[in-house]
Amino acid sequence: MREGRIRSMLEEDIPAIMQLEKECFPVPWTEDMFRCQIMLGDVSANLVYAEDDAITGYVVSWFGVEELHILSIGVKPERRGRGIAENLMDEAIRRSMKNRCKKVILEVRRSNSRARKFYQKLGFRHIGVRKKYYSENAEDALVLEKDIEIST
Ligand SMILES: CC(C)(COP(=O)(O)OP(=O)(O)OC[C@H]1O[C@@H](n2cnc3c(N)ncnc32)[C@H](O)[C@@H]1OP(=O)(O)O)[C@@H](O)C(=O)NCCC(=O)NCCS
């Protein structure tokens, strides 16, 4: 079985991430969006899951005031259901705690039932709706939130 590891996203990862992005989303991020995200440095957690030479998952996020905002997370279709996204989320949360983040927040398409099930499994709760948030099809975003558990 392949063993993966989580590490920070590098600029040279962008071509592989773009490929993955196209497999994950109807409206993929652009290369420049990932480049800007990497440039945020310490106020963000941008991580990849690397298996052998392949990148099979990623998460991009930034640290707001006491709040980790997950901007995007994706896993290669053939590698889903193995805990890769959960591991990426855990590591982003772990890094955000150094920046005093106390909760995680994200938006998800109403129609994205797989992702909604995934977030439900992780303990996210529904706190609101952003109407017509996704402009290309005027779809609503559900806003989900979860407290970060501080272990002592
Ligand atoms: C949502 C996503 C990131 C989950 O990645 P993952 O590595 O499969 O997630 P994990 O293995 O850590 O967790 C799997 C859980 O998510 C849900 N899930 C993930 N993929 C699923 C699938 N193909 N079918 C049904 N449920 C799925 C299930 O609740 C599953 O829990 P269980 O297997 O323990 O019952 C992945 O499906 C994905 O990349 N989707 C496309 C991109 C996307 O929608 N991103 C979220 C945008 S808000």
Side-chain angles (χ1 to χ4, degrees), residues 25 73-75 80-83 85-86 112 114 118-119 121:
F25 292 104
I73 184 165
V75 171
R80 289 179 190 161
R82 292 172 169 80
E86 189 170 349
N112 193 347
R114 283 180 185 176
F118 167 67
Y119 296 132
K121 183 184 96 162

Side-chain angles (χ1 to χ4, degrees), residues 19-56:
Q19 184 57 42
L20 172 54
E21 181 73 0
K22 286 175 195 148
E23 294 177 68
C24 285
F25 292 104
V27 184
W29 272 31
T30 63
E31 289 192 21
D32 277 348
M33 288 164 86
F34 284 105
R35 215 165 271 125
C36 289
Q37 196 56 36
I38 291 169
M39 280 164 54
L40 284 177
D42 285 349
V43 295
S44 63
N46 307 304
L47 308 169
V48 295
Y49 192 86
E51 297 183 75
D52 301 331
D53 287 338
I55 288 173
T56 53

Side-chain angles (χ1 to χ4, degrees), residues 54-104:
I55 288 173
T56 53
Y58 79 86
V59 62
V60 286
S61 63
W62 67 278
F63 309 145
V65 180
E66 299 193 344
E67 184 177 281
L68 168 66
H69 199 132
I70 301 293
L71 300 173
S72 190
I73 184 165
V75 171
K76 245 187 169 351
E78 64 270 26
R79 303 299 292 157
R80 289 179 190 161
R82 292 172 169 80
I84 292 175
E86 189 170 349
N87 285 330
L88 284 164
M89 188 74 88
D90 284 350
E91 180 61 16
I93 290 173
R94 202 183 61 76
R95 293 190 184 196
S96 79
M97 287 163 75
K98 290 187 191 139
N99 283 262
R100 299 193 186 86
C101 290
K102 295 188 171 63
K103 61 183 178 177
V104 195

